[in-house]
């Protein structure tokens, strides 16, 4: 108390929570003894109630060790086909996953590095050349407009810090965020600790230095900027860069005090300030006092929007010609919607993309087909009869066979269903066709984006990555997007039409669209420019002949240009006006129709649905359930299941309800309301909690709990165990003190999980906060 009063007298910040005591209740018996008194948990065995089958591990243990067990343990991927998959195929799946993801990750990192390369270069040059003399004695300040995506601020400033501190070695970089701004003293502690990379000075409650001792002079506190001044004196030429990630959420008072301190020490500590602003410079000016703004002088830098970076990564992973495994329509829509709704970082999308790669190669045995795209001869040595049978069960294969039946090609249908060698050759052909489909889809979407960029109306322009899922579903070919584009092309004048053709033909040399012929992958060349170039030459000749700068066709004429209105006897008569088009313009209209036909045929070929492609399940991953469970987990459902059915997580039989039955339709287990003393104490208390009302009497809850674990009413409510090899576990009791300790622990865990809280209505009651299933 004397120490606290002294601190208060000196005006030092005093937090009473730092001096609270912590009390731990320990019963007479140790926790190990308590667990020894309770029933031991045993793994599930065969012969129990309900006719449970033996697990795969138990069956394998009975068979004894296999010769291939050593090689199998070295592979992270399991053997599929109920363990009949060859080790060569498993190893090939693992190698293919590592190879394809390494290539995709390299391209993604290159995009992330190049996205803000210009901005980071400008900021690093600003920090290197920053000096108070250049800014009239003001603090050199860089205002970085980082955008509203908060999740991307951290990685962006981390890249800046790495570049300034390690790559260019300008000096230390201290990253501050709003969570560090609880008080000025804490911010200064973090600033000095991160800048000097060590703890120096005195702590508030100590009389000894926490780091190096000061060489003479008074002892300094660990939030005194004199420590940083001494550090800078020993390292001349080093600049201290302070980067505030979220200036909008940073406490304005603490930020003002920091700027004032920086200005006072600027002649001794070369500070450079980086401020990340998510809104605008005007809003930042309104937040900070004008007297503080006068202490700063600098420049403004813009960051590329996170949506544009996401679009580049998505286009490379799904539409780029270098990608082999791509996302399906449902999964791509889910990931894009999650990024848009929850404003997650780019790294979260990359993690979801990596999980898609891993899940595809981990659980799909047919993913081995992606390993021999460039070496078809290897397929005969890898493919097993199980692979052929799995192909016959694919939905795309069934549709392919049904189409053959409709075409009355019964000979090929019989070969596909009965001849395994013929199916293997069909697999190689289908893999090549599926690769061509992905390449044509990428080109067509790029052409569609470029062509829509030439339209006069840009109000409803949709980015290419959002059209991807519609194209895979086959909804884009006959959509209003394509119809409006073709109508706009018909109405174009000759100048705009020539510009459109020039942009489309220029895609042939664009490496991102993969328009050039790829001999290694046997991908066909881009044929639309070859069809448009002769038509373009004819249009150019017509322009020269007509001596007009711009030709119009009859499609571009309005109704008023084609209809003539005359008044006869007070009646308006409409008649068709004689065409005022010249001979060259009429010929131009025919060429415009030919060009539209070429575009329409090209879109019909490149935008066909994914369902028409054989073996699309191998080249496109489109499972939503794994991603929903991993990246959008239902934590409350998992907690409730763990508390109500602990045997699902512990894998023991002592917690299994003897009245539990298995549903023949769903395969799920339906248990009764029995509470077993062998269950974890938190599960016991949770089941009692479910039976209570909105207000729970604490003593009644304790009495019911002790009646279960204490053994006074052991066996009530079905408190027995299974039959067969399992033994009876009733009659086991623990002491009252140990049971009370377990009750307190379990009740605290339920309160921590948010199921109960103290009631203000009655002091000896608990309020129920959550109901199961709601």
């Amino acid at each position: 108390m004397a120490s606290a009063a002294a601190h208060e007298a000196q005006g030092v910040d005093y937090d009473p929570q730092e001096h609270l005591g912590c009390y731990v209740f320990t019963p007479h018996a140790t926790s190990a003894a308590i667990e020894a008194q309770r029933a031991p948990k045993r793994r599930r065995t065969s012969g129990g109630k309900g006719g449970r089958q033996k697990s795969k591990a138990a069956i394998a243990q009975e068979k004894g060790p296999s010769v291939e067990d050593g090689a199998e343990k070295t592979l992270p991927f399991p053997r599929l086909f109920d363990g009949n998959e060859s080790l060569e195929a498993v190893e090939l799946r693992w190698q293919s996953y590592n190879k394809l993801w390494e290539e995709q990750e390299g391209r993604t990192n290159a995009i992330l590095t190049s996205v803000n390369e210009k901005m980071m270069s400008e900021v690093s040059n600003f920090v290197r050349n920053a000096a108070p003399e250049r800014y009239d004695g003001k603090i050199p300040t860089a205002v970085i407009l980082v955008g509203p995506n908060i999740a991307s601020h951290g990685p962006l400033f981390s890249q800046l810090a790495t570049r300034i501190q390690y790559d260019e070695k300008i000096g230390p970089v201290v990253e501050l965020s709003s969570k560090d701004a609880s008080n000025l003293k804490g911010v200064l502690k973090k600033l000095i600790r991160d800048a000097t990379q060590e703890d120096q000075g005195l702590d508030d409650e100590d009389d000894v230095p926490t780091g190096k001792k000061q060489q003479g002079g008074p002892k300094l506190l660990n939030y005194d900027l004199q420590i940083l001044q001494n550090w800078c004196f020993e390292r001349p030429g080093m600049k201290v860069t302070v980067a505030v990630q979220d200036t909008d959420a940073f406490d304005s008072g603490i930020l003002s005090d920091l700027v004032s301190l920086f200005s006072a020490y600027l002649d001794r500590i070369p500070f450079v300030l980086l401020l990340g602003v998510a809104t605008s410079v005007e809003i930042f000016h309104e937040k900070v006092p004008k007297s503080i703004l006068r202490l700063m002088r600098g420049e403004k830098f813009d960051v590329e929007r996170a949506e544009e970076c996401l679009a580049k990564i998505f286009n490379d992973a799904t539409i780029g010609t270098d990608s082999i495994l791509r996302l399906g329509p449902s999964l791509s829509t889910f990931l894009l919607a999650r990024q848009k709704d929850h404003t997650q970082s780019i790294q979260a999308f990359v993690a979801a993309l990596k999980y898609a790669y891993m899940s595809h190669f981990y659980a799909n045995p047919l993913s081995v087909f992606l390993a021999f795209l460039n070496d078809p001869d290897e397929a005969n040595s890898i493919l097993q009869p199980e692979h052929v049978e799995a192909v016959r069960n694919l939905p795309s294969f069934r549709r392919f066979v049904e189409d053959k039946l409709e075409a009355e090609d019964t000979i090929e249908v019989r070969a596909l269903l009965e001849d395994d060698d013929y199916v293997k050759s069909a697999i190689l052909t289908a893999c090549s066709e599926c690769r061509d489909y992905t390449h044509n889809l990428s080109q067509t979407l790029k052409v569609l984006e470029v062509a829509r960029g030439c339209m006069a109306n840009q109000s409803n322009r949709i980015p290419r990555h959002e059209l991807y899922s519609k194209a895979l579903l086959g909804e884009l070919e006959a959509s209003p997007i394509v119809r409006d584009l073709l109508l706009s092309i018909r109405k174009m004048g000759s100048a705009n039409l020539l510009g459109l053709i020039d942009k489309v033909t220029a895609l042939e040399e664009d490496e991102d669209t993969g328009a050039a012929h790829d001999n290694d992958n046997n991908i066909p060349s881009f044929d639309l420019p070859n069809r448009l170039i002769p038509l373009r030459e004819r249009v150019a000749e017509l322009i020269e002949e007509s001596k007009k700068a711009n030709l119009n066709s009859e499609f571009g004429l309005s109704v008023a240009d084609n209809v003539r209105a005359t008044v006869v006897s007070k009646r308006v008569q409409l008649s068709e006006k004689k065409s005022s088009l010249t001979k060259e313009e009429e010929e131009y209209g025919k060429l415009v129709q030919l060009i539209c036909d070429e575009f329409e045929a090209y879109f019909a070929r490149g935008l066909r649905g994914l369902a028409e492609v054989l073996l699309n399940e191998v080249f496109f991953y489109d499972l939503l359930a794994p991603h929903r469970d991993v990246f959008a987990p239902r934590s409350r459902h998992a907690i409730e299941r763990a508390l109500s059915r602990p045997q699902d997580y512990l894998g023991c039989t002592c917690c299994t309800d003897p009245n539990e039955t298995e549903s023949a339709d769903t395969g799920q287990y339906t248990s009764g309301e029995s509470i077993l003393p062998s269950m974890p104490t938190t599960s016991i208390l949770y089941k009692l909690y479910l039976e209570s009302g909105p207000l729970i009497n604490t003593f009644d809850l304790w009495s019911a709990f002790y009646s279960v674990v204490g053994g006074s009413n052991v066996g009530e409510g079905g408190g027995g165990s299974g039959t067969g090899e399992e033994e009876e576990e009733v009659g086991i009791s623990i002491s009252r003190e140990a049971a009370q300790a377990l009750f307190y622990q379990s009740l605290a865990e339920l309160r921590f999980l948010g199921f109960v809280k103290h009631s203000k209505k009655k002091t000896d009651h608990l309020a129920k906060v959550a109901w199961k299933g709601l």
Side-chain angles (χ1 to χ4, degrees):
M1 296 297 294
S3 176
H7 281 297
E8 292 178 354
Q10 296 176 4
V12 181
D13 294 337
Y14 174 73
D15 188 1
Q17 293 188 355
E18 296 181 357
H19 306 275
L20 292 178
C22 178
Y23 302 94
V24 179
F25 175 78
T26 305
H28 296 294
T30 62
S31 59
I34 294 174
E35 293 297 330
Q37 292 181 14
R38 301 189 76 228
K41 299 188 181 296
R42 293 185 299 276
R43 298 291 176 184
R44 291 181 177 176
T45 57
S46 60
K49 204 166 188 177
R52 303 273 179 89
Q53 295 181 354
K54 298 181 181 179
S55 63
K56 293 182 179 180
I59 296 175
Q61 186 176 3
E62 292 179 3
K63 291 181 179 180
S66 173
V67 180
E68 299 176 342
D69 284 347
E72 186 176 356
K73 289 180 180 178
T74 60
L75 295 174
F77 285 178
R79 300 178 67 177
L80 304 177
F81 295 132
D82 292 333
N84 295 325
E85 187 180 15
S86 63
L87 288 176
E88 292 79 6
V90 179
E91 185 177 2
L92 196 57
R93 281 194 292 120
W94 169 247
Q95 293 175 355
S96 301
Y97 160 69
N98 287 303
K99 177 185 176 182
L100 294 183
W101 174 247
E102 183 179 356
E103 295 174 356
Q104 179 60 48
E105 188 178 24
R107 295 194 301 270
T108 302
N109 293 335
I111 294 174
L112 291 175
T113 304
S114 63
V115 163
N116 292 313
E117 178 65 26
K118 180 180 178 182
M119 184 274 301
M120 288 192 293
S121 178
E122 292 176 351
V123 172
S124 61
N125 291 334
F126 170 82
V127 175
R128 184 188 303 105
N129 302 325
E133 297 79 13
R134 298 185 58 185
Y135 297 97
D136 301 331
K138 310 295 184 182
I139 303 175
T141 305
V143 178
I144 305 175
L145 300 179
V146 291
N149 192 348
I150 301 176
S152 63
H153 296 176
L156 175 64
F157 277 91
S158 298
Q159 292 180 5
L160 272 175
T162 302
R163 180 161 187 157
I164 295 173
Q165 184 170 358
Y166 298 105
D167 296 346
E168 303 188 6
K169 301 185 184 305
I170 300 175
V173 179
V174 181
E175 300 181 46
L176 299 177
S177 60
S178 58
K179 63 181 180 182
D180 302 321
S182 56
N183 52 68
L184 180 62
K185 182 176 66 176
V187 175
L188 293 176
K189 284 181 182 179
K190 176 177 174 58
L191 171 63
I192 296 172
R193 181 176 63 251
D194 293 354
T196 60
Q197 298 296 321
E198 57 187 9
D199 285 336
Q200 294 189 11
L202 289 172
D203 201 6
D204 289 346
E205 297 143 0
D206 300 332
D207 293 330
V208 228
T210 58
K212 296 180 180 179
K213 295 183 178 180
Q214 302 294 328
Q215 300 295 331
K219 297 177 180 179
L220 303 176
L221 296 172
N222 58 359
Y223 53 87
D224 194 339
L225 286 178
Q226 181 68 36
I227 299 175
L228 187 57
Q229 176 184 340
N230 298 337
W231 185 87
C232 292
F233 180 77
E234 297 174 357
R235 298 164 179 81
M238 302 291 285
K239 298 179 181 179
V240 180
T241 305
V242 181
V244 182
Q245 296 182 10
D246 46 355
T247 308
D248 303 271
F250 209 86
D251 186 89
S252 58
I254 296 177
L255 182 61
S256 301
D257 295 340
L258 275 178
V259 174
S260 300
L261 285 173
F262 293 165
S263 178
Y265 277 87
L266 192 59
D267 56 341
R268 291 157 286 175
I269 304 176
F271 282 113
V272 179
L273 199 56
L274 305 181
L275 301 179
V277 178
T279 52
S280 64
V281 179
E282 291 75 15
I283 297 178
F284 170 70
H285 286 172
E286 294 177 359
K287 178 182 178 181
V288 182
K290 294 184 178 179
S291 59
I292 301 299
L293 291 175
R294 296 191 189 100
L295 301 178
M296 297 182 290
R297 181 91 39 99
E299 301 178 12
K300 181 180 67 173
F301 302 91
D302 291 325
V303 176
E304 188 169 354
R305 297 176 57 192
E307 293 79 6
E308 298 176 358
C309 180
L310 174 65
K312 291 181 179 179
I313 295 177
F314 184 87
N315 291 338
D316 177 77
T318 57
I319 309 176
T321 54
D322 294 330
S323 298
I324 296 178
L325 178 63
R326 303 166 188 251
L327 302 180
S330 302
L331 183 58
S332 59
T333 303
F334 170 75
L335 293 181
L336 290 176
R338 190 166 60 92
Q339 289 290 131
K340 183 182 297 184
D341 296 341
H342 302 284
T343 60
Q344 294 182 339
S345 64
I346 303 299
Q347 284 70 20
F349 177 80
V350 175
L353 185 63
K354 183 177 181 180
Y355 188 78
Y357 271 71
M358 185 194 67
S359 300
H360 184 69
F361 284 97
Y362 183 88
N364 190 353
L366 301 181
S367 60
V368 74
F369 295 167
L370 301 178
F372 47 79
L373 290 177
N374 300 327
D375 189 8
D377 297 334
E378 189 183 359
N380 295 326
S381 60
I382 296 298
L383 294 182
Q384 304 173 226
E386 289 81 3
H387 288 101
V388 177
E389 193 62 30
V391 168
R392 290 192 176 109
N393 290 320
L394 292 177
S396 61
F397 185 86
R398 295 181 180 180
R399 283 191 293 267
F400 180 74
V401 173
E402 291 174 357
D403 293 340
K404 292 294 181 181
L405 282 176
E406 292 180 0
E408 298 182 356
D409 192 354
T410 57
I411 298 177
E412 186 174 0
V413 170
R414 183 177 296 275
L416 288 172
L417 297 179
E418 297 179 356
D419 191 352
D420 290 355
D421 295 333
Y422 186 81
V423 174
K424 290 181 181 180
S425 62
I427 289 174
L428 300 178
T429 305
C431 288
S432 177
E433 293 177 355
C434 196
R435 189 84 185 275
D436 295 345
Y437 167 80
T438 57
H439 181 77
N440 293 332
L441 177 66
S442 303
Q443 293 179 346
T444 307
L445 289 176
K446 182 64 177 178
V447 170
L448 182 62
E449 183 181 45
V450 171
R452 296 184 75 237
C454 299
M455 293 174 57
N457 185 12
Q458 299 288 332
S459 59
N460 59 345
R461 186 174 181 180
I462 303 176
R464 183 175 18 146
H465 62 276
E466 294 185 7
L467 299 176
Y468 173 73
S469 58
K470 294 183 178 180
L472 292 181
L473 294 174
E475 300 175 354
L476 195 57
E477 178 185 354
S479 65
I481 296 176
V482 176
R483 291 200 304 267
D484 293 344
L485 173 61
L486 295 177
L487 181 60
S488 177
I489 293 176
R490 286 189 176 92
K491 294 181 179 181
M492 279 185 180
S494 59
N496 294 333
L497 186 61
L498 291 179
L500 169 63
I501 296 177
D502 291 340
K503 290 183 179 180
V504 171
T505 52
L507 295 176
E508 187 174 6
E509 300 176 357
D510 192 349
E511 295 179 358
D512 293 337
T513 60
H517 182 75
D518 192 343
N519 294 323
D520 296 334
N521 298 327
N522 295 323
I523 295 177
S525 179
F526 193 23
D527 60 345
L528 183 60
N530 299 329
R531 297 176 176 272
L532 293 179
I533 289 176
L535 297 176
R536 185 199 183 282
E537 294 175 353
R538 294 174 61 183
V539 172
E541 293 175 359
L542 288 177
I543 295 177
E544 294 179 359
E545 293 176 1
S546 64
K547 297 180 181 181
K548 287 185 177 181
N550 189 30
L551 295 178
N552 293 316
S553 64
E554 64 270 16
F555 303 106
L557 298 178
S558 62
V559 177
D561 297 331
N562 295 326
V563 177
R564 180 175 55 191
T566 57
V567 179
V568 179
S569 301
K570 298 183 180 181
R571 292 184 181 181
V572 179
Q573 295 182 355
L574 298 179
S575 60
E576 185 177 357
K577 184 189 298 185
K578 185 178 180 180
S579 177
S580 60
L581 297 175
T582 63
K583 180 181 178 181
E584 290 80 7
E585 288 178 334
E586 292 178 356
E587 183 67 21
Y588 171 72
K590 298 178 181 179
L591 293 177
V592 169
Q593 184 61 45
L594 292 176
I595 293 174
C596 287
D597 293 341
E598 291 292 343
F599 273 100
E600 187 173 4
Y602 180 75
F603 290 144
R605 181 176 65 90
L607 297 178
R608 60 193 181 101
L610 180 64
E612 303 177 9
V613 182
L614 180 61
L615 296 186
N616 63 78
E617 297 87 352
V618 178
F619 287 81
F620 291 85
Y621 177 78
D622 198 30
L623 296 180
L624 279 180
H627 276 73
R628 281 177 176 168
D629 295 340
V630 174
F631 295 96
R634 297 181 299 167
S635 55
R636 176 173 176 177
H637 172 74
I639 292 174
E640 290 178 347
R641 179 178 176 181
L643 292 176
S644 58
R645 290 184 53 84
Q647 64 272 20
D648 292 347
Y649 292 84
L650 300 178
C652 59
T653 55
C654 56
C655 299
T656 305
D657 190 349
N659 300 324
E660 185 178 74
T661 58
E662 181 178 3
S663 175
D665 298 331
T666 62
Q668 298 179 353
Y669 294 96
T670 304
S671 59
E673 301 298 331
S674 302
I675 304 177
L676 305 180
S678 57
M679 289 181 173
T681 54
T682 308
S683 298
I684 295 174
L685 199 61
Y686 176 73
K687 289 202 169 187
L688 295 173
Y689 157 87
L690 294 178
E691 299 176 357
S692 60
L695 288 178
I696 308 173
N697 188 297
T698 309
F699 181 77
D700 294 343
L701 186 63
W702 151 248
S703 300
F705 177 82
Y706 184 63
S707 67
V708 177
V709 302
S712 60
N713 292 324
V714 175
E716 291 185 10
S721 61
T723 59
E725 298 179 9
E726 302 176 359
E727 299 176 357
E728 294 291 329
E729 295 181 351
V730 296
I732 300 175
S733 61
I734 58 179
S735 62
R736 186 180 183 87
E737 292 79 5
Q740 196 169 15
L742 293 174
F743 175 76
Y744 289 154
Q745 177 185 358
S746 303
L747 191 59
E749 291 178 355
L750 289 183
R751 182 184 176 187
F752 175 77
L753 292 173
F755 288 103
V756 294
K757 67 177 182 179
H758 291 297
S759 175
K760 296 182 180 179
K761 296 181 179 179
K762 297 182 179 180
T763 56
D764 58 343
H765 281 62
L766 297 171
K768 197 172 184 179
V769 179
W771 279 258
K772 183 178 180 181
L774 297 180

